[in-house]
């Protein structure tokens, strides 16, 4: 028994470890990178250096301490994000910028490696297990000074990457959204394509109907099984062959009225009740009257309508 | 000393009062009067009415008193968090689940479709709201009034249109109280005398196992279809499991009594207090009340009409009395009681209450699913 419990606990721990390890997968992304920073974002020390922006794409805060950032395919653990910094707790759908300046002594957000302009720069982020690659990107050598390589949509792997140089609408956006939104896309789409709400009504009613229809069919089936089972038990109790009983026959159920009549007859005959705990017993309780304990004078009595 | 007195005078309600404040105070008093004198949903209208009084006491907002419901860190603001962050409604749903007996629905599962049909009130009102110029998210939040479910209306409006939540909540609860006035004329109008006399077969007995399976299967199935309805549906079915499993009687009792009472008090009071004159007395509020009424009418209409159409395909022995169609809105158990009363009016031996409870509780599930759909599409 003890062995079984131990095995179960080990299995549960294993599952929780897998869940923990997978929690950052699909949630944390490299979102924007600048390799050569001559006149762009400045760090807390007043210095300009290459930067890497990470993005928490989930709708819940994400702890990124103990993950690894690297630019070496052969070394997954080049820079470990230290524990104990409150700023490594990234709020939902928010960003954090790491300075690739090779100066980890300057704080949590300064990596131990640098990026090299004019060359392809591979960047990867690994989970705390040092093996799970959360995200990676190769920054093209063609990326010029003060240009960034950014995801077209924040945290979106399908929309691809683009080079940004602050011209036109190609804004460089360290520590903020790559797409500046002033409206909800879904609402805009409905306002534009479904002006009268007809499509929404049809879709929504179909969903509501199908949800309740599935539930209805499911319980129709369960009810039918249950009725059959009850009929079989009843047949067995009466010593009848169960296969000969038609559970759908109208007489196969005792109606509420019949049950009530049987109960009343038994009650009249025996003049007694069973030992259920819901029995109502009315006994006269004698208490000596005293005005000191009378409810009439009680302050807590509620007004009656 | 005179300067102090003058400053004090500037803090008082008399100095800061405006006409809209007095109008809102009158609205609050009217709600309290309706609840106490006319017995219209007193459990809700007393807290809401008094909340309106609390929320519309004039004071100087520049004095830094930190007492207003919208001032961060104030007591009212902390209590209001349950509404603005949307966690009161799921707690109410927990209580509703613990109070609701789904036996009638399990015994006759096809009645679930009546609960689904009545949700057309929501989407009918959605189309009208769009035509009146509301944005899709606002239209969705207003339309949910048609579900006749106060907590769902508050939950959805807090997500889709927080600025309209006060008006939507007050409108939803007002019309829920007016269900006995709104529904009977529609039911009479849409049914013939013969239809009103239809006697339905008594429901079959439902086993304890089925009652336990219902919340578990119900939650999994509905939330797989509409995950966005999880906070409401999850809590509703959880509350029902506490009730039916037979081993958590104390928890079910607490969920259905003390917890629901506490949350109802806080929810009603803070929703009332959120209806401040500046945000409440607007043209939108008038539209919201009109749309809410329309949503209720459409919901009742579609419920009754669905039963009539459904009867065309049902065998004679299984026909449904269309008077239970109105119960597809989730005003539990008031809508079912109306079906019963109207049925008894035409045939004193025709008790429809338990039959009407089927679509009525299906309406609770249906409106939560509809809210999940709107949230999924528009949030």
């Amino acid at each position: 028994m003890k062995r079984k419990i131990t095995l179960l606990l080990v299995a549960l721990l294993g599952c929780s470890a897998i869940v923990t390890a997978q929690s950052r997968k699909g949630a944390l992304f490299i979102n924007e990178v600048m390799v050569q920073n001559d006149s762009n974002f400045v760090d807390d020390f007043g210095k300009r250096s290459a930067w890497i922006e990470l993005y928490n794409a989930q709708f819940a805060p994400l702890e990124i301490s103990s993950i690894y950032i690297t630019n070496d395919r052969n070394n997954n653990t080049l820079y470990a994000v230290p524990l104990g910094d409150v700023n490594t707790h990234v709020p939902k759908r928010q960003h954090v910028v790491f300075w690739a300046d090779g100066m980890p002594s300057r704080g949590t957000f300064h990596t131990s490696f640098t990026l090299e302009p004019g060359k392809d720069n591979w960047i990867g982020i690994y989970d705390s297990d040092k093996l799970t690659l959360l995200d990676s990107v190769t920054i093209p050598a063609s990326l010029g000074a003060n240009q960034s390589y950014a995801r077209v949509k924040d945290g979106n792997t399908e929309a691809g990457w683009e080079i940004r140089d602050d011209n036109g609408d190609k804004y460089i956006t360290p520590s903020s959204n790559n797409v500046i939104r002033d409206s909800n896309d879904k609402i805009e789409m409905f306002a534009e394509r479904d002006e009268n709400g007809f499509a929404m009504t049809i879709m929504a009613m179909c969903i509501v109907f199908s949800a309740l229809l599935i539930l209805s069919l499911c319980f129709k089936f369960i009810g039918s099984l249950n009725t059959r089972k009850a009929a079989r038990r009843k047949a067995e109790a009466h010593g009848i062959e169960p296969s000969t009983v038609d559970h759908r026959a109208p007489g196969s159920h005792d109606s509420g009225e019949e049950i009530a009549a049987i109960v009343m007859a038994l009650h009249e005959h025996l003049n007694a009740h069973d030992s259920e705990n819901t029995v109502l017993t009315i006994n006269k309780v004698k208490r000596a009257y005293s005005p000191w304990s009378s409810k009439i004078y009680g302050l807590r009595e509620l007004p009656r309508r | 000393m005179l300067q102090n007195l003058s400053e004090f005078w500037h803090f008082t309600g008399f100095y800061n009062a405006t006409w809209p404040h007095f109008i809102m105070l009158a609205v609050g008093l009217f709600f309290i009067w309706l609840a106490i004198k006319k017995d219209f949903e007193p459990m809700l209208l007393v807290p809401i009415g008094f909340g309106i009084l609390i929320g519309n006491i004039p004071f100087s907002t520049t004095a830094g008193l930190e007492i207003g419901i919208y001032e961060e860190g104030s007591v009212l603001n902390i209590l209001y968090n349950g509404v603005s962050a949307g966690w009161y409604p799921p707690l109410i749903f927990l209580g509703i689940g613990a109070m609701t007996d789904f036996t009638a629905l399990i015994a006759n599962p096809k009645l679930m479709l009546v609960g689904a049909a009545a949700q057309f009130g929501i989407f009918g009102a959605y189309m009208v709201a769009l035509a009146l110029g509301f944005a899709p998210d606002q239209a969705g939040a207003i339309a949910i009034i048609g579900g006749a479910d106060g907590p769902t209306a508050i939950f959805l409006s807090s997500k889709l249109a927080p600025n309209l939540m006060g008006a939507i909540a007050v409108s939803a609860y007002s019309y829920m109280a007016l269900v006995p006035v709104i529904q009977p004329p529609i039911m009479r109008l849409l049914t013939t005398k013969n239809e009103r006399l239809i006697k339905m077969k008594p429901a079959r007995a439902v086993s304890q196992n089925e009652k336990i399976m219902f919340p578990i299967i119900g939650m999994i199935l509905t939330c797989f279809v509409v995950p966005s309805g999880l906070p409401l549906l999850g809590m509703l079915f959880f509350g029902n499991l506490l009730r039916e499993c037979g081993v958590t009687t104390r928890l079910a009792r607490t969920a259905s009594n003390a917890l629901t009472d506490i949350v109802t008090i806080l929810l009603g009071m803070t929703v009332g207090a959120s209806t401040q004159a500046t945000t409440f007395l607007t043209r939108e509020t008038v539209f919201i009340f009109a749309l809410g009424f329309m949503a209720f009418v459409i919901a009742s209409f579609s419920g009754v009409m669905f039963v009539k159409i459904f009867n065309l395909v049902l065998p004679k022995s299984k026909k449904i009395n269309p008077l239970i169609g109105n119960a597809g809105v989730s005003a539990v158990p008031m809508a079912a009681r109306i079906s019963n009363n109207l049925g008894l009016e035409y045939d004193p031996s025709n008790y429809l209450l338990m039959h009407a409870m089927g679509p009525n509780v299906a309406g609770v599930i249906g409106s939560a699913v509809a809210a999940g759909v709107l949230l999924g599409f528009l949030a």
Side-chain angles (χ1 to χ4, degrees), chain A residues 21-170:
Chain A
Q22 286 183 339
S23 61
R24 292 189 190 112
K25 183 83 181 163
L28 191 65
F29 294 94
I30 299 168
N31 205 47
E32 191 171 2
V33 179
M34 179 174 278
V35 175
Q36 193 178 347
N37 179 3
D38 294 337
S39 60
N40 195 263
F41 206 30
V42 179
D43 69 10
D44 294 344
F45 294 84
K47 304 282 182 194
R48 288 193 174 88
S49 42
W51 48 262
I52 302 161
E53 181 192 74
L54 303 186
Y55 178 63
N56 171 16
Q58 66 181 14
F59 284 87
L62 184 70
E63 181 56 52
I64 60 162
S65 60
S66 78
I67 67 156
Y68 297 90
I69 307 175
T70 181
N71 68 342
D72 184 351
R73 288 177 194 269
N74 300 317
N75 185 355
N76 298 355
T77 60
L78 203 56
Y79 177 69
V81 179
L83 294 162
D85 189 331
V86 290
N87 295 318
T88 56
H89 194 71
V90 187
K92 64 172 185 178
R93 315 283 289 174
Q94 291 300 308
H95 313 74
V96 64
V97 169
F98 283 85
W99 299 97
D101 55 3
M103 306 282 281
S105 58
R106 285 189 169 173
T108 304
F109 298 101
H110 293 260
T111 66
S112 55
F113 59 86
T114 56
L115 302 178
E116 290 182 51
K119 282 184 178 176
D120 280 356
N121 281 280
W122 178 85
I123 302 167
I125 46 173
Y126 284 88
D127 209 340
S128 52
D129 63 358
K130 304 175 186 175
L131 295 169
T132 311
L133 181 65
L134 298 174
D135 194 18
S136 68
V137 62
T138 302
I139 313 298
S142 59
L143 190 73
N146 301 313
Q147 287 184 331
S148 76
Y149 195 57
R151 283 189 188 277
V152 175
K153 287 182 181 173
D154 297 86
N156 188 317
T157 51
E158 287 165 11
W161 292 76
E162 63 183 358
I163 293 174
R164 295 184 167 199
D165 53 8
D166 263 343
N167 285 322
D169 58 351
K170 304 280 184 198

Side-chain angles (χ1 to χ4, degrees), chain B residues 282-300:
Chain B
T282 59
R283 199 171 61 107
E284 276 84 14
T285 305
V286 178
F287 280 148
I288 288 168
F289 270 77
L291 284 166
F293 178 76
M294 196 180 295
F296 258 69
V297 171
I298 299 171
S300 310

Side-chain angles (χ1 to χ4, degrees), chain A residues 233-284:
Chain A
R233 277 189 189 162
K234 196 177 171 185
E236 280 168 7
H238 286 87
I240 309 165
E241 183 61 35
S243 57
T244 59
V245 176
D246 180 7
H247 68 278
R248 286 169 298 184
S252 64
H253 297 293
D254 292 324
S255 72
E257 287 87 349
E258 283 168 11
I259 293 166
I262 294 166
V263 170
M264 285 306 294
L266 280 172
H267 179 75
E268 286 291 314
H269 180 66
L270 300 170
N271 195 21
H273 56 68
D274 56 22
S275 58
E276 285 177 4
N277 60 1
T278 49
V279 156
L280 177 68
T281 309
I282 303 168
N283 283 330
K284 193 177 179 185

Side-chain angles (χ1 to χ4, degrees), chain B residues 258-279:
Chain B
L259 183 65
T260 306
D261 290 350
I262 291 167
V263 181
T264 304
I265 291 168
L266 295 176
L267 179 77
M269 193 273 286
T270 48
V271 162
S274 70
T275 58
Q276 294 187 343
T278 45
T279 54

Side-chain angles (χ1 to χ4, degrees), chain B residues 23-85:
Chain B
I23 294 171
M24 287 308 293
L25 289 174
V27 171
L29 291 172
F30 176 66
F31 273 55
I32 294 171
W33 177 80
L34 271 183
I36 296 172
K37 204 74 184 167
K38 298 286 174 188
D39 211 20
F40 278 1
E41 292 274 344
M43 302 289 181
L44 297 165
L45 291 191
V46 168
I48 291 178
F50 205 81
I52 293 174
L53 300 186
I54 290 174
N56 287 284
I57 297 295
F59 62 88
S60 169
T61 48
T62 54
L65 301 172
E66 289 189 357
I67 52 170
I69 196 161
Y70 296 115
E71 289 180 73
E72 207 175 325
S74 73
V75 174
L76 285 177
N77 182 262
I78 291 166
L79 297 178
Y80 186 60
N81 181 269
V83 177
S84 55

